PDB file of all heavy atoms in Angstrom:
ATOM      1  N   LEU V   1      29.718  -3.985 -13.143  1.00  0.00           N
ATOM      2  CA  LEU V   1      28.338  -4.077 -13.625  1.00  0.00           C
ATOM      3  C   LEU V   1      27.994  -5.510 -14.041  1.00  0.00           C
ATOM      4  O   LEU V   1      26.865  -5.967 -13.846  1.00  0.00           O
ATOM      5  CB  LEU V   1      28.120  -3.123 -14.804  1.00  0.00           C
ATOM      6  CG  LEU V   1      27.983  -1.640 -14.442  1.00  0.00           C
ATOM      7  CD1 LEU V   1      27.898  -0.787 -15.713  1.00  0.00           C
ATOM      8  CD2 LEU V   1      26.747  -1.408 -13.578  1.00  0.00           C
ATOM      9  N   THR V   2      28.969  -6.211 -14.608  1.00  0.00           N
ATOM     10  CA  THR V   2      28.735  -7.609 -14.975  1.00  0.00           C
ATOM     11  C   THR V   2      28.376  -8.430 -13.743  1.00  0.00           C
ATOM     12  O   THR V   2      27.434  -9.235 -13.759  1.00  0.00           O
ATOM     13  CB  THR V   2      29.978  -8.214 -15.654  1.00  0.00           C
ATOM     14  OG1 THR V   2      30.311  -7.438 -16.811  1.00  0.00           O
ATOM     15  CG2 THR V   2      29.731  -9.659 -16.063  1.00  0.00           C
ATOM     16  N   ALA V   3      29.123  -8.228 -12.650  1.00  0.00           N
ATOM     17  CA  ALA V   3      28.832  -8.947 -11.405  1.00  0.00           C
ATOM     18  C   ALA V   3      27.474  -8.548 -10.839  1.00  0.00           C
ATOM     19  O   ALA V   3      26.694  -9.397 -10.386  1.00  0.00           O
ATOM     20  CB  ALA V   3      29.937  -8.680 -10.387  1.00  0.00           C
ATOM     21  N   VAL V   4      27.170  -7.252 -10.884  1.00  0.00           N
ATOM     22  CA  VAL V   4      25.876  -6.785 -10.371  1.00  0.00           C
ATOM     23  C   VAL V   4      24.730  -7.330 -11.216  1.00  0.00           C
ATOM     24  O   VAL V   4      23.697  -7.769 -10.691  1.00  0.00           O
ATOM     25  CB  VAL V   4      25.842  -5.242 -10.331  1.00  0.00           C
ATOM     26  CG1 VAL V   4      24.436  -4.740 -10.005  1.00  0.00           C
ATOM     27  CG2 VAL V   4      26.839  -4.714  -9.308  1.00  0.00           C
ATOM     28  N   PHE V   5      24.891  -7.298 -12.543  1.00  0.00           N
ATOM     29  CA  PHE V   5      23.830  -7.795 -13.422  1.00  0.00           C
ATOM     30  C   PHE V   5      23.579  -9.288 -13.201  1.00  0.00           C
ATOM     31  O   PHE V   5      22.445  -9.760 -13.272  1.00  0.00           O
ATOM     32  CB  PHE V   5      24.182  -7.538 -14.887  1.00  0.00           C
ATOM     33  CG  PHE V   5      24.145  -6.083 -15.281  1.00  0.00           C
ATOM     34  CD1 PHE V   5      24.756  -5.641 -16.451  1.00  0.00           C
ATOM     35  CD2 PHE V   5      23.505  -5.145 -14.479  1.00  0.00           C
ATOM     36  CE1 PHE V   5      24.726  -4.297 -16.815  1.00  0.00           C
ATOM     37  CE2 PHE V   5      23.467  -3.805 -14.840  1.00  0.00           C
ATOM     38  CZ  PHE V   5      24.085  -3.383 -16.003  1.00  0.00           C
ATOM     39  N   ALA V   6      24.658 -10.032 -12.938  1.00  0.00           N
ATOM     40  CA  ALA V   6      24.488 -11.456 -12.650  1.00  0.00           C
ATOM     41  C   ALA V   6      23.680 -11.639 -11.375  1.00  0.00           C
ATOM     42  O   ALA V   6      22.763 -12.472 -11.304  1.00  0.00           O
ATOM     43  CB  ALA V   6      25.848 -12.130 -12.520  1.00  0.00           C
ATOM     44  N   ASN V   7      23.999 -10.865 -10.348  1.00  0.00           N
ATOM     45  CA  ASN V   7      23.241 -10.930  -9.100  1.00  0.00           C
ATOM     46  C   ASN V   7      21.819 -10.416  -9.286  1.00  0.00           C
ATOM     47  O   ASN V   7      20.890 -10.873  -8.622  1.00  0.00           O
ATOM     48  CB  ASN V   7      23.939 -10.110  -8.012  1.00  0.00           C
ATOM     49  CG  ASN V   7      25.245 -10.746  -7.574  1.00  0.00           C
ATOM     50  OD1 ASN V   7      25.452 -11.936  -7.764  1.00  0.00           O
ATOM     51  ND2 ASN V   7      26.134  -9.942  -7.005  1.00  0.00           N
ATOM     52  N   LEU V   8      21.660  -9.449 -10.200  1.00  0.00           N
ATOM     53  CA  LEU V   8      20.335  -8.889 -10.444  1.00  0.00           C
ATOM     54  C   LEU V   8      19.398  -9.950 -11.020  1.00  0.00           C
ATOM     55  O   LEU V   8      18.218 -10.005 -10.670  1.00  0.00           O
ATOM     56  CB  LEU V   8      20.441  -7.698 -11.400  1.00  0.00           C
ATOM     57  CG  LEU V   8      19.160  -6.880 -11.623  1.00  0.00           C
ATOM     58  CD1 LEU V   8      18.700  -6.251 -10.326  1.00  0.00           C
ATOM     59  CD2 LEU V   8      19.399  -5.791 -12.672  1.00  0.00           C
ATOM     60  N   ALA V   9      19.934 -10.806 -11.898  1.00  0.00           N
ATOM     61  CA  ALA V   9      19.106 -11.876 -12.459  1.00  0.00           C
ATOM     62  C   ALA V   9      18.571 -12.774 -11.350  1.00  0.00           C
ATOM     63  O   ALA V   9      17.385 -13.124 -11.319  1.00  0.00           O
ATOM     64  CB  ALA V   9      19.927 -12.705 -13.457  1.00  0.00           C
ATOM     65  N   GLU V  10      19.440 -13.144 -10.412  1.00  0.00           N
ATOM     66  CA  GLU V  10      19.013 -13.997  -9.299  1.00  0.00           C
ATOM     67  C   GLU V  10      18.070 -13.239  -8.372  1.00  0.00           C
ATOM     68  O   GLU V  10      17.076 -13.796  -7.882  1.00  0.00           O
ATOM     69  CB  GLU V  10      20.232 -14.489  -8.523  1.00  0.00           C
ATOM     70  CG  GLU V  10      19.900 -15.490  -7.436  1.00  0.00           C
ATOM     71  CD  GLU V  10      21.145 -16.070  -6.790  1.00  0.00           C
ATOM     72  OE1 GLU V  10      22.261 -15.647  -7.167  1.00  0.00           O
ATOM     73  OE2 GLU V  10      21.001 -16.940  -5.928  1.00  0.00           O
ATOM     74  N   ALA V  11      18.363 -11.964  -8.131  1.00  0.00           N
ATOM     75  CA  ALA V  11      17.534 -11.177  -7.222  1.00  0.00           C
ATOM     76  C   ALA V  11      16.127 -10.966  -7.783  1.00  0.00           C
ATOM     77  O   ALA V  11      15.142 -10.988  -7.038  1.00  0.00           O
ATOM     78  CB  ALA V  11      18.200  -9.822  -6.949  1.00  0.00           C
ATOM     79  N   VAL V  12      16.026 -10.754  -9.095  1.00  0.00           N
ATOM     80  CA  VAL V  12      14.707 -10.596  -9.715  1.00  0.00           C
ATOM     81  C   VAL V  12      13.906 -11.892  -9.583  1.00  0.00           C
ATOM     82  O   VAL V  12      12.717 -11.881  -9.252  1.00  0.00           O
ATOM     83  CB  VAL V  12      14.840 -10.191 -11.198  1.00  0.00           C
ATOM     84  CG1 VAL V  12      13.502 -10.288 -11.910  1.00  0.00           C
ATOM     85  CG2 VAL V  12      15.376  -8.767 -11.313  1.00  0.00           C
ATOM     86  N   ALA V  13      14.577 -13.023  -9.823  1.00  0.00           N
ATOM     87  CA  ALA V  13      13.893 -14.307  -9.686  1.00  0.00           C
ATOM     88  C   ALA V  13      13.422 -14.514  -8.253  1.00  0.00           C
ATOM     89  O   ALA V  13      12.292 -14.950  -8.005  1.00  0.00           O
ATOM     90  CB  ALA V  13      14.828 -15.444 -10.106  1.00  0.00           C
ATOM     91  N   GLU V  14      14.287 -14.183  -7.282  1.00  0.00           N
ATOM     92  CA  GLU V  14      13.896 -14.321  -5.885  1.00  0.00           C
ATOM     93  C   GLU V  14      12.804 -13.326  -5.524  1.00  0.00           C
ATOM     94  O   GLU V  14      11.916 -13.628  -4.723  1.00  0.00           O
ATOM     95  CB  GLU V  14      15.107 -14.112  -4.985  1.00  0.00           C
ATOM     96  CG  GLU V  14      16.132 -15.239  -5.068  1.00  0.00           C
ATOM     97  CD  GLU V  14      17.374 -14.951  -4.251  1.00  0.00           C
ATOM     98  OE1 GLU V  14      17.512 -13.803  -3.791  1.00  0.00           O
ATOM     99  OE2 GLU V  14      18.196 -15.864  -4.086  1.00  0.00           O
ATOM    100  N   GLY V  15      12.870 -12.134  -6.121  1.00  0.00           N
ATOM    101  CA  GLY V  15      11.860 -11.118  -5.841  1.00  0.00           C
ATOM    102  C   GLY V  15      10.477 -11.546  -6.270  1.00  0.00           C
ATOM    103  O   GLY V  15       9.484 -11.267  -5.592  1.00  0.00           O
ATOM    104  N   ARG V  16      10.375 -12.269  -7.395  1.00  0.00           N
ATOM    105  CA  ARG V  16       9.089 -12.777  -7.840  1.00  0.00           C
ATOM    106  C   ARG V  16       8.560 -13.807  -6.851  1.00  0.00           C
ATOM    107  O   ARG V  16       7.374 -13.879  -6.573  1.00  0.00           O
ATOM    108  CB  ARG V  16       9.227 -13.375  -9.237  1.00  0.00           C
ATOM    109  CG  ARG V  16       9.486 -12.329 -10.304  1.00  0.00           C
ATOM    110  CD  ARG V  16      10.004 -12.943 -11.588  1.00  0.00           C
ATOM    111  NE  ARG V  16       9.050 -13.857 -12.198  1.00  0.00           N
ATOM    112  CZ  ARG V  16       8.015 -13.480 -12.931  1.00  0.00           C
ATOM    113  NH1 ARG V  16       7.806 -12.184 -13.120  1.00  0.00           N
ATOM    114  NH2 ARG V  16       7.199 -14.349 -13.475  1.00  0.00           N
ATOM    115  N   GLY V  17       9.481 -14.609  -6.277  1.00  0.00           N
ATOM    116  CA  GLY V  17       9.060 -15.557  -5.253  1.00  0.00           C
ATOM    117  C   GLY V  17       8.592 -14.838  -3.991  1.00  0.00           C
ATOM    118  O   GLY V  17       7.612 -15.231  -3.364  1.00  0.00           O
ATOM    119  N   LYS V  18       9.285 -13.749  -3.632  1.00  0.00           N
ATOM    120  CA  LYS V  18       8.892 -12.997  -2.441  1.00  0.00           C
ATOM    121  C   LYS V  18       7.526 -12.347  -2.619  1.00  0.00           C
ATOM    122  O   LYS V  18       6.777 -12.182  -1.650  1.00  0.00           O
ATOM    123  CB  LYS V  18       9.947 -11.941  -2.124  1.00  0.00           C
ATOM    124  CG  LYS V  18      11.255 -12.534  -1.608  1.00  0.00           C
ATOM    125  CD  LYS V  18      12.313 -11.468  -1.378  1.00  0.00           C
ATOM    126  CE  LYS V  18      13.620 -12.096  -0.892  1.00  0.00           C
ATOM    127  NZ  LYS V  18      14.685 -11.081  -0.721  1.00  0.00           N
ATOM    128  N   ALA V  19       7.194 -11.966  -3.853  1.00  0.00           N
ATOM    129  CA  ALA V  19       5.866 -11.409  -4.112  1.00  0.00           C
ATOM    130  C   ALA V  19       4.794 -12.457  -3.842  1.00  0.00           C
ATOM    131  O   ALA V  19       3.736 -12.163  -3.291  1.00  0.00           O
ATOM    132  CB  ALA V  19       5.780 -10.911  -5.560  1.00  0.00           C
ATOM    133  N   GLN V  20       5.079 -13.710  -4.239  1.00  0.00           N
ATOM    134  CA  GLN V  20       4.149 -14.794  -3.934  1.00  0.00           C
ATOM    135  C   GLN V  20       4.073 -14.999  -2.418  1.00  0.00           C
ATOM    136  O   GLN V  20       3.003 -15.216  -1.862  1.00  0.00           O
ATOM    137  CB  GLN V  20       4.615 -16.084  -4.608  1.00  0.00           C
ATOM    138  CG  GLN V  20       4.573 -16.071  -6.121  1.00  0.00           C
ATOM    139  CD  GLN V  20       3.158 -16.254  -6.654  1.00  0.00           C
ATOM    140  OE1 GLN V  20       2.242 -16.552  -5.906  1.00  0.00           O
ATOM    141  NE2 GLN V  20       2.996 -16.066  -7.939  1.00  0.00           N
ATOM    142  N   ALA V  21       5.229 -14.969  -1.751  1.00  0.00           N
ATOM    143  CA  ALA V  21       5.253 -15.200  -0.310  1.00  0.00           C
ATOM    144  C   ALA V  21       4.484 -14.114   0.440  1.00  0.00           C
ATOM    145  O   ALA V  21       3.804 -14.397   1.433  1.00  0.00           O
ATOM    146  CB  ALA V  21       6.694 -15.256   0.183  1.00  0.00           C
ATOM    147  N   ALA V  22       4.585 -12.869  -0.033  1.00  0.00           N
ATOM    148  CA  ALA V  22       3.853 -11.785   0.618  1.00  0.00           C
ATOM    149  C   ALA V  22       2.349 -12.022   0.536  1.00  0.00           C
ATOM    150  O   ALA V  22       1.614 -11.766   1.493  1.00  0.00           O
ATOM    151  CB  ALA V  22       4.218 -10.452  -0.041  1.00  0.00           C
ATOM    152  N   ALA V  23       1.906 -12.523  -0.618  1.00  0.00           N
ATOM    153  CA  ALA V  23       0.479 -12.829  -0.763  1.00  0.00           C
ATOM    154  C   ALA V  23       0.075 -13.950   0.190  1.00  0.00           C
ATOM    155  O   ALA V  23      -1.026 -13.938   0.753  1.00  0.00           O
ATOM    156  CB  ALA V  23       0.177 -13.226  -2.207  1.00  0.00           C
ATOM    157  N   LEU V  24       0.956 -14.922   0.380  1.00  0.00           N
ATOM    158  CA  LEU V  24       0.644 -16.026   1.298  1.00  0.00           C
ATOM    159  C   LEU V  24       0.647 -15.548   2.748  1.00  0.00           C
ATOM    160  O   LEU V  24      -0.171 -15.992   3.547  1.00  0.00           O
ATOM    161  CB  LEU V  24       1.671 -17.148   1.121  1.00  0.00           C
ATOM    162  CG  LEU V  24       1.610 -17.903  -0.201  1.00  0.00           C
ATOM    163  CD1 LEU V  24       2.811 -18.820  -0.329  1.00  0.00           C
ATOM    164  CD2 LEU V  24       0.322 -18.705  -0.296  1.00  0.00           C
ATOM    165  N   ARG V  25       1.560 -14.636   3.088  1.00  0.00           N
ATOM    166  CA  ARG V  25       1.622 -14.155   4.469  1.00  0.00           C
ATOM    167  C   ARG V  25       0.336 -13.441   4.864  1.00  0.00           C
ATOM    168  O   ARG V  25      -0.049 -13.441   6.033  1.00  0.00           O
ATOM    169  CB  ARG V  25       2.802 -13.204   4.644  1.00  0.00           C
ATOM    170  CG  ARG V  25       4.122 -13.912   4.862  1.00  0.00           C
ATOM    171  CD  ARG V  25       5.145 -12.982   5.510  1.00  0.00           C
ATOM    172  NE  ARG V  25       6.364 -13.714   5.792  1.00  0.00           N
ATOM    173  CZ  ARG V  25       7.360 -13.839   4.921  1.00  0.00           C
ATOM    174  NH1 ARG V  25       7.262 -13.285   3.729  1.00  0.00           N
ATOM    175  NH2 ARG V  25       8.435 -14.514   5.232  1.00  0.00           N
ATOM    176  N   ARG V  26      -0.312 -12.807   3.883  1.00  0.00           N
ATOM    177  CA  ARG V  26      -1.552 -12.111   4.202  1.00  0.00           C
ATOM    178  C   ARG V  26      -2.627 -13.078   4.670  1.00  0.00           C
ATOM    179  O   ARG V  26      -3.580 -12.687   5.322  1.00  0.00           O
ATOM    180  CB  ARG V  26      -2.032 -11.308   2.985  1.00  0.00           C
ATOM    181  CG  ARG V  26      -1.183 -10.083   2.718  1.00  0.00           C
ATOM    182  CD  ARG V  26      -1.860  -9.139   1.728  1.00  0.00           C
ATOM    183  NE  ARG V  26      -1.881  -9.678   0.391  1.00  0.00           N
ATOM    184  CZ  ARG V  26      -0.932  -9.473  -0.510  1.00  0.00           C
ATOM    185  NH1 ARG V  26       0.139  -8.762  -0.179  1.00  0.00           N
ATOM    186  NH2 ARG V  26      -1.020  -9.976  -1.718  1.00  0.00           N
ATOM    187  N   THR V  27      -2.488 -14.369   4.270  1.00  0.00           N
ATOM    188  CA  THR V  27      -3.461 -15.368   4.727  1.00  0.00           C
ATOM    189  C   THR V  27      -3.107 -15.915   6.106  1.00  0.00           C
ATOM    190  O   THR V  27      -3.936 -16.544   6.753  1.00  0.00           O
ATOM    191  CB  THR V  27      -3.520 -16.546   3.742  1.00  0.00           C
ATOM    192  OG1 THR V  27      -2.304 -17.290   3.843  1.00  0.00           O
ATOM    193  CG2 THR V  27      -3.687 -16.063   2.320  1.00  0.00           C
ATOM    194  N   LYS V  28      -1.862 -15.693   6.548  1.00  0.00           N
ATOM    195  CA  LYS V  28      -1.415 -16.247   7.823  1.00  0.00           C
ATOM    196  C   LYS V  28      -1.630 -15.202   8.916  1.00  0.00           C
ATOM    197  O   LYS V  28      -0.709 -14.740   9.568  1.00  0.00           O
ATOM    198  CB  LYS V  28       0.065 -16.632   7.718  1.00  0.00           C
ATOM    199  CG  LYS V  28       0.547 -17.535   8.833  1.00  0.00           C
ATOM    200  CD  LYS V  28       1.974 -17.961   8.548  1.00  0.00           C
ATOM    201  CE  LYS V  28       2.494 -18.866   9.648  1.00  0.00           C
ATOM    202  NZ  LYS V  28       2.638 -18.150  10.906  1.00  0.00           N
ATOM    203  N   THR V  29      -2.858 -14.782   9.116  1.00  0.00           N
ATOM    204  CA  THR V  29      -3.192 -13.772  10.107  1.00  0.00           C
ATOM    205  C   THR V  29      -3.324 -14.415  11.483  1.00  0.00           C
ATOM    206  O   THR V  29      -3.538 -15.617  11.609  1.00  0.00           O
ATOM    207  CB  THR V  29      -4.511 -13.085   9.726  1.00  0.00           C
ATOM    208  OG1 THR V  29      -5.512 -14.099   9.603  1.00  0.00           O
ATOM    209  CG2 THR V  29      -4.387 -12.344   8.415  1.00  0.00           C
ATOM    210  N   THR V  30      -3.195 -13.591  12.502  1.00  0.00           N
ATOM    211  CA  THR V  30      -3.355 -14.089  13.867  1.00  0.00           C
ATOM    212  C   THR V  30      -4.821 -14.338  14.131  1.00  0.00           C
ATOM    213  O   THR V  30      -5.654 -13.436  14.014  1.00  0.00           O
ATOM    214  CB  THR V  30      -2.813 -13.061  14.869  1.00  0.00           C
ATOM    215  OG1 THR V  30      -1.443 -12.803  14.572  1.00  0.00           O
ATOM    216  CG2 THR V  30      -2.927 -13.580  16.296  1.00  0.00           C
ATOM    217  N   THR V  31      -5.166 -15.566  14.468  1.00  0.00           N
ATOM    218  CA  THR V  31      -6.560 -15.935  14.711  1.00  0.00           C
ATOM    219  C   THR V  31      -6.707 -16.498  16.117  1.00  0.00           C
ATOM    220  O   THR V  31      -5.754 -16.950  16.745  1.00  0.00           O
ATOM    221  CB  THR V  31      -7.025 -16.994  13.701  1.00  0.00           C
ATOM    222  OG1 THR V  31      -6.173 -18.142  13.818  1.00  0.00           O
ATOM    223  CG2 THR V  31      -6.962 -16.464  12.288  1.00  0.00           C
ATOM    224  N   THR V  32      -7.936 -16.459  16.597  1.00  0.00           N
ATOM    225  CA  THR V  32      -8.275 -17.054  17.880  1.00  0.00           C
ATOM    226  C   THR V  32      -8.916 -18.405  17.630  1.00  0.00           C
ATOM    227  O   THR V  32      -9.854 -18.513  16.837  1.00  0.00           O
ATOM    228  CB  THR V  32      -9.234 -16.149  18.672  1.00  0.00           C
ATOM    229  OG1 THR V  32      -8.603 -14.886  18.874  1.00  0.00           O
ATOM    230  CG2 THR V  32      -9.577 -16.767  20.012  1.00  0.00           C
ATOM    231  N   ALA V  33      -8.408 -19.412  18.281  1.00  0.00           N
ATOM    232  CA  ALA V  33      -8.916 -20.773  18.077  1.00  0.00           C
ATOM    233  C   ALA V  33      -9.827 -21.170  19.230  1.00  0.00           C
ATOM    234  O   ALA V  33      -9.562 -20.846  20.392  1.00  0.00           O
ATOM    235  CB  ALA V  33      -7.751 -21.753  17.975  1.00  0.00           C
ATOM    236  N   ARG V  34     -10.885 -21.891  18.897  1.00  0.00           N
ATOM    237  CA  ARG V  34     -11.803 -22.433  19.911  1.00  0.00           C
ATOM    238  C   ARG V  34     -11.392 -23.888  20.164  1.00  0.00           C
ATOM    239  O   ARG V  34     -11.867 -24.788  19.496  1.00  0.00           O
ATOM    240  CB  ARG V  34     -13.240 -22.327  19.427  1.00  0.00           C
ATOM    241  CG  ARG V  34     -13.701 -20.895  19.231  1.00  0.00           C
ATOM    242  CD  ARG V  34     -15.008 -20.826  18.465  1.00  0.00           C
ATOM    243  NE  ARG V  34     -16.061 -21.588  19.118  1.00  0.00           N
ATOM    244  CZ  ARG V  34     -17.251 -21.838  18.566  1.00  0.00           C
ATOM    245  NH1 ARG V  34     -17.510 -21.387  17.339  1.00  0.00           N
ATOM    246  NH2 ARG V  34     -18.156 -22.534  19.222  1.00  0.00           N
ATOM    247  N   ARG V  35     -10.491 -24.077  21.106  1.00  0.00           N
ATOM    248  CA  ARG V  35      -9.956 -25.412  21.365  1.00  0.00           C
ATOM    249  C   ARG V  35     -10.893 -26.186  22.293  1.00  0.00           C
ATOM    250  O   ARG V  35     -11.336 -25.680  23.323  1.00  0.00           O
ATOM    251  CB  ARG V  35      -8.568 -25.308  22.000  1.00  0.00           C
ATOM    252  CG  ARG V  35      -7.916 -26.657  22.274  1.00  0.00           C
ATOM    253  CD  ARG V  35      -6.439 -26.522  22.542  1.00  0.00           C
ATOM    254  NE  ARG V  35      -6.162 -25.702  23.722  1.00  0.00           N
ATOM    255  CZ  ARG V  35      -4.934 -25.313  24.074  1.00  0.00           C
ATOM    256  NH1 ARG V  35      -3.891 -25.650  23.313  1.00  0.00           N
ATOM    257  NH2 ARG V  35      -4.744 -24.565  25.148  1.00  0.00           N
ATOM    258  N   LEU V  36     -11.177 -27.439  21.902  1.00  0.00           N
ATOM    259  CA  LEU V  36     -12.041 -28.308  22.698  1.00  0.00           C
ATOM    260  C   LEU V  36     -11.169 -29.074  23.696  1.00  0.00           C
ATOM    261  O   LEU V  36     -10.217 -29.757  23.302  1.00  0.00           O
ATOM    262  CB  LEU V  36     -12.798 -29.275  21.792  1.00  0.00           C
ATOM    263  CG  LEU V  36     -13.666 -28.605  20.705  1.00  0.00           C
ATOM    264  CD1 LEU V  36     -14.310 -29.660  19.820  1.00  0.00           C
ATOM    265  CD2 LEU V  36     -14.728 -27.715  21.336  1.00  0.00           C
ATOM    266  N   THR V  37     -11.495 -28.970  24.961  1.00  0.00           N
ATOM    267  CA  THR V  37     -10.640 -29.560  25.993  1.00  0.00           C
ATOM    268  C   THR V  37     -10.967 -31.015  26.287  1.00  0.00           C
ATOM    269  O   THR V  37     -10.126 -31.742  26.821  1.00  0.00           O
ATOM    270  CB  THR V  37     -10.753 -28.743  27.289  1.00  0.00           C
ATOM    271  OG1 THR V  37     -12.138 -28.685  27.688  1.00  0.00           O
ATOM    272  CG2 THR V  37     -10.232 -27.324  27.064  1.00  0.00           C
ATOM    273  N   ASP V  38     -12.189 -31.449  25.983  1.00  0.00           N
ATOM    274  CA  ASP V  38     -12.560 -32.829  26.298  1.00  0.00           C
ATOM    275  C   ASP V  38     -13.341 -33.475  25.150  1.00  0.00           C
ATOM    276  O   ASP V  38     -14.323 -34.177  25.377  1.00  0.00           O
ATOM    277  CB  ASP V  38     -13.383 -32.878  27.591  1.00  0.00           C
ATOM    278  CG  ASP V  38     -14.670 -32.045  27.484  1.00  0.00           C
ATOM    279  OD1 ASP V  38     -14.791 -31.273  26.499  1.00  0.00           O
ATOM    280  OD2 ASP V  38     -15.537 -32.176  28.360  1.00  0.00           O
ATOM    281  N   TRP V  39     -12.853 -33.221  23.909  1.00  0.00           N
ATOM    282  CA  TRP V  39     -13.601 -33.748  22.758  1.00  0.00           C
ATOM    283  C   TRP V  39     -13.411 -35.250  22.618  1.00  0.00           C
ATOM    284  O   TRP V  39     -12.303 -35.778  22.778  1.00  0.00           O
ATOM    285  CB  TRP V  39     -13.144 -33.060  21.472  1.00  0.00           C
ATOM    286  CG  TRP V  39     -13.928 -33.531  20.269  1.00  0.00           C
ATOM    287  CD1 TRP V  39     -15.132 -33.059  19.841  1.00  0.00           C
ATOM    288  CD2 TRP V  39     -13.551 -34.567  19.368  1.00  0.00           C
ATOM    289  NE1 TRP V  39     -15.533 -33.740  18.729  1.00  0.00           N
ATOM    290  CE2 TRP V  39     -14.595 -34.688  18.411  1.00  0.00           C
ATOM    291  CE3 TRP V  39     -12.456 -35.413  19.286  1.00  0.00           C
ATOM    292  CZ2 TRP V  39     -14.555 -35.602  17.371  1.00  0.00           C
ATOM    293  CZ3 TRP V  39     -12.418 -36.344  18.254  1.00  0.00           C
ATOM    294  CH2 TRP V  39     -13.455 -36.436  17.309  1.00  0.00           C
ATOM    295  N   ARG V  40     -14.493 -35.930  22.336  1.00  0.00           N
ATOM    296  CA  ARG V  40     -14.496 -37.345  22.014  1.00  0.00           C
ATOM    297  C   ARG V  40     -15.460 -37.548  20.857  1.00  0.00           C
ATOM    298  O   ARG V  40     -16.431 -36.788  20.722  1.00  0.00           O
ATOM    299  CB  ARG V  40     -14.952 -38.201  23.200  1.00  0.00           C
ATOM    300  CG  ARG V  40     -14.021 -38.183  24.395  1.00  0.00           C
ATOM    301  CD  ARG V  40     -12.728 -38.941  24.115  1.00  0.00           C
ATOM    302  NE  ARG V  40     -11.862 -38.995  25.294  1.00  0.00           N
ATOM    303  CZ  ARG V  40     -11.052 -38.033  25.667  1.00  0.00           C
ATOM    304  NH1 ARG V  40     -10.976 -36.924  24.946  1.00  0.00           N
ATOM    305  NH2 ARG V  40     -10.294 -38.150  26.745  1.00  0.00           N
ATOM    306  N   PRO V  41     -15.226 -38.553  20.004  1.00  0.00           N
ATOM    307  CA  PRO V  41     -16.176 -38.798  18.899  1.00  0.00           C
ATOM    308  C   PRO V  41     -17.591 -38.974  19.421  1.00  0.00           C
ATOM    309  O   PRO V  41     -17.830 -39.767  20.344  1.00  0.00           O
ATOM    310  CB  PRO V  41     -15.639 -40.091  18.263  1.00  0.00           C
ATOM    311  CG  PRO V  41     -14.182 -40.099  18.602  1.00  0.00           C
ATOM    312  CD  PRO V  41     -14.090 -39.494  19.970  1.00  0.00           C
ATOM    313  N   GLY V  42     -18.503 -38.190  18.864  1.00  0.00           N
ATOM    314  CA  GLY V  42     -19.904 -38.291  19.263  1.00  0.00           C
ATOM    315  C   GLY V  42     -20.260 -37.497  20.494  1.00  0.00           C
ATOM    316  O   GLY V  42     -21.422 -37.498  20.919  1.00  0.00           O
ATOM    317  N   ALA V  43     -19.285 -36.808  21.095  1.00  0.00           N
ATOM    318  CA  ALA V  43     -19.558 -36.052  22.316  1.00  0.00           C
ATOM    319  C   ALA V  43     -20.478 -34.872  22.013  1.00  0.00           C
ATOM    320  O   ALA V  43     -20.367 -34.230  20.972  1.00  0.00           O
ATOM    321  CB  ALA V  43     -18.250 -35.557  22.929  1.00  0.00           C
ATOM    322  N   THR V  44     -21.393 -34.601  22.915  1.00  0.00           N
ATOM    323  CA  THR V  44     -22.303 -33.473  22.745  1.00  0.00           C
ATOM    324  C   THR V  44     -21.887 -32.347  23.674  1.00  0.00           C
ATOM    325  O   THR V  44     -21.594 -32.565  24.857  1.00  0.00           O
ATOM    326  CB  THR V  44     -23.749 -33.894  23.063  1.00  0.00           C
ATOM    327  OG1 THR V  44     -23.800 -34.404  24.406  1.00  0.00           O
ATOM    328  CG2 THR V  44     -24.209 -34.983  22.098  1.00  0.00           C
ATOM    329  N   ASP V  45     -21.851 -31.140  23.149  1.00  0.00           N
ATOM    330  CA  ASP V  45     -21.527 -29.940  23.897  1.00  0.00           C
ATOM    331  C   ASP V  45     -20.230 -30.066  24.691  1.00  0.00           C
ATOM    332  O   ASP V  45     -20.208 -29.902  25.916  1.00  0.00           O
ATOM    333  CB  ASP V  45     -22.680 -29.582  24.840  1.00  0.00           C
ATOM    334  CG  ASP V  45     -22.576 -28.147  25.337  1.00  0.00           C
ATOM    335  OD1 ASP V  45     -21.938 -27.336  24.638  1.00  0.00           O
ATOM    336  OD2 ASP V  45     -23.110 -27.853  26.417  1.00  0.00           O
ATOM    337  N   PRO V  46     -19.090 -30.343  23.989  1.00  0.00           N
ATOM    338  CA  PRO V  46     -17.817 -30.442  24.711  1.00  0.00           C
ATOM    339  C   PRO V  46     -17.356 -29.067  25.182  1.00  0.00           C
ATOM    340  O   PRO V  46     -17.689 -28.039  24.593  1.00  0.00           O
ATOM    341  CB  PRO V  46     -16.870 -31.011  23.652  1.00  0.00           C
ATOM    342  CG  PRO V  46     -17.453 -30.575  22.355  1.00  0.00           C
ATOM    343  CD  PRO V  46     -18.938 -30.567  22.553  1.00  0.00           C
TER     344      PRO V  46
END
């Protein structure tokens, strides 16, 4: 139990980080990008 409790302290700390990471992953959704193939500064209707 001493060994498990020691690991539990680290696991709880990591778990709090994973909760933050899960919130960040929700922002990393698959999106469609409108890529400009011939963009130049000042170009109109690329």
Side-chain angles (χ1 to χ4, degrees):
L1 284 175
T2 302
V4 171
F5 290 163
N7 291 339
L8 188 62
E10 186 174 2
V12 169
E14 290 175 350
R16 291 164 63 80
K18 289 177 181 177
Q20 294 283 351
L24 291 171
R25 278 200 176 89
R26 288 193 289 269
T27 70
K28 195 174 180 293
T29 57
T30 302
T31 59
T32 301
R34 296 167 57 189
R35 181 165 61 188
L36 302 177
T37 56
D38 59 348
W39 182 85
R40 294 289 183 278
T44 58
D45 197 24

